[in-house]
Structures are given as C-alpha cells and as structure tokens.
Amino acid sequence: MRRFNPISPGLLAGRLTELFLQRQTDIAHAGQPHPLRVALDAPGWVDLEPLITGVAERLAVRGHPVATVRGVDFYRDASLRFEYGKTDVESFYTGWLDTAALQREVLKPLGAGGTGSYLPALRDPVSNRSARTPPVPLAAEAIVLVRGELLLDTGLAFDIVVHFSVSRQALRRLAPAEEAWALPAFDRYEIDVDPAGQADVVLRYDDPSHPALFARPREE
C-alpha cells in the first residue's frame, strides 16, 4: 500500500523543479549532457497546466528553458486511429499515439548524441493535417516536458517519469460524457503496466488543488 503525503501545489512545483535539476546535473556529470526528457503521464482530462506553468517559471529563473510537447500532437493519422471506429478502446489503448514518431522526432534527437533539435508537433489531432512545424533547437540545459497519457511501457526513452495517479471515481467526474468510453483503457493500464510502480515520481491527483506525493529513487 503506497502512502501519499499531501503537498501544496506551490511546494510541489518547487519539489519537481529541484528533482529535474538534480537529474539533469547527474546526466551532465556522466559526460553526455543533453536536454532533460520528462514524461508527465496523466489522463488527458486532468488539468496539468497550472503545475506545468509553475515548474516552467521556476526553471526559467534558474536559467533552464522549458519546452512542452503534447502527446496528442503525435497521434497517428485518423485513418489508422479510427479504423475500427472512433470509440474502440483497444485502438485507443494501443494505437492512437505514434510512439515511433515521438521517439524519432523528439526523444532520440534530444538524447545523448542526438542533434539537439526536436519537432514540436507532428499532426493536428482535430484537423488531422500535418503540423508542418520546423525542428526547434534546444540547449543542453533545457528541459522538455512531454505531457501525454498511457506513455509507459511503450519503449519511449525518458530521463525521468512523473505519473499522475487518478482514481476511477475522479476520472468518471472529469471525463466528458462523450469520451467516457475510453475509461476502461485506464483500468487496463493500471493492471497491465502498473505505471506507479515504474515512475520516478507518483502523484495522487484527484484534485489538482490538493495533490499528494509519493516518490522513490529509480532503481539502477
């Protein structure tokens, strides 16, 4: 049974900032500095913007620019996503996110030995049109926050993973009625992947104004 300690949103932003900077320092000391690649693993209905803004502001003050990437901007073409309909749970769980593209265009080039430039978006998830955005260079001291859902156990290369654990009751409250069909995918994710067991930081996030924190060091 995991124990979560309540923490204020401001203190949480500060704690994550320090954790990210320490991990980036460790990477630099290892001899291959590169932008820190952070996974923010949370259901899309969860509002992470205040926390992301708080972390980004604190990092900027410390001289570390922040880039954000949305998983939805790396969804596969609609013809593939909706091959079995727009409410197929299996397709959503295994096939909406183009993990190969996210790895190729963002995570690999920002990793050790990479080009240092990333593609901010691949495709508009609503219009299904190519985003046509040029690659953007990032300095080694930068931090890229990849905000998406069902990110773990997909082969994606992150330097640190933050998992936002949300109860089924809270998800039912947050999910719009027309999107409630996707809820079983998150039940399966908890059972098959155990994201809280894989993440470096686990947050109880039923209410973003009253988060709770459980953290453990990554096993080497």
Side-chain angles (χ1 to χ4, degrees):
M1 185 70 175
R2 296 183 177 90
R3 294 184 62 183
F4 290 86
N5 299 316
I7 186 171
S8 71
L11 187 57
L12 175 59
R15 188 75 62 84
L16 291 177
T17 296
E18 295 302 326
L19 182 61
F20 296 166
L21 292 178
Q22 182 58 58
R23 182 59 57 85
Q24 193 166 54
T25 298
D26 294 342
I27 289 172
H29 286 168
Q32 291 185 311
H34 59 79
L36 187 74
R37 302 162 299 176
V38 180
L40 301 180
D41 182 51
W45 307 302
V46 178
D47 183 12
L48 301 187
E49 289 310 310
L51 180 60
I52 290 174
T53 298
V55 171
E57 290 174 347
R58 287 166 172 77
L59 288 169
V61 170
R62 305 280 287 274
H64 294 261
V66 174
T68 57
V69 172
R70 302 190 313 162
V72 295
D73 292 327
F74 284 82
Y75 274 175
R76 288 189 168 90
D77 185 272
S79 64
L80 299 174
R81 277 186 286 144
F82 303 145
E83 182 179 3
Y84 299 102
K86 294 185 177 182
T87 59
D88 184 77
V89 175
E90 180 66 22
S91 295
F92 171 68
Y93 185 73
T94 63
W96 280 29
L97 180 64
D98 191 339
T99 54
L102 185 57
Q103 179 73 15
R104 181 183 67 248
E105 304 293 350
V106 179
L107 300 176
K108 185 176 181 180
L110 295 182
T115 64
S117 294
Y118 77 105
L119 193 68
L122 181 69
R123 178 177 292 105
D124 185 306
V126 177
S127 69
N128 199 46
R129 294 176 180 174
S130 171
R132 300 187 183 279
T133 55
V136 176
L138 277 184
E141 64 270 17
I143 292 175
V144 59
L145 305 177
V146 180
R147 191 259 191 266
E149 50 197 5
L150 312 174
L151 292 177
L152 301 186
D153 207 29
T154 57
L156 294 172
F158 294 106
D159 299 302
I160 191 166
V161 173
V162 181
H163 173 66
F164 295 79
S165 178
V166 183
S167 70
R168 182 63 184 270
Q169 292 77 13
L171 282 182
R172 282 187 177 278
R173 183 179 70 250
L174 293 170
E178 66 273 16
E179 297 178 12
W181 62 267
L183 286 169
F186 295 96
D187 294 335
R188 177 176 170 184
Y189 187 54
E190 291 292 329
I191 295 170
D192 292 354
V193 176
D194 182 24
Q198 295 194 40
D200 299 280
V201 180
V202 183
L203 299 173
R204 178 61 55 80
Y205 222 66
D206 283 12
D207 180 355
S209 64
H210 296 89
L213 171 67
F214 171 83
R216 64 174 175 80
R218 175 175 289 184
E219 297 178 359
E220 301 294 341

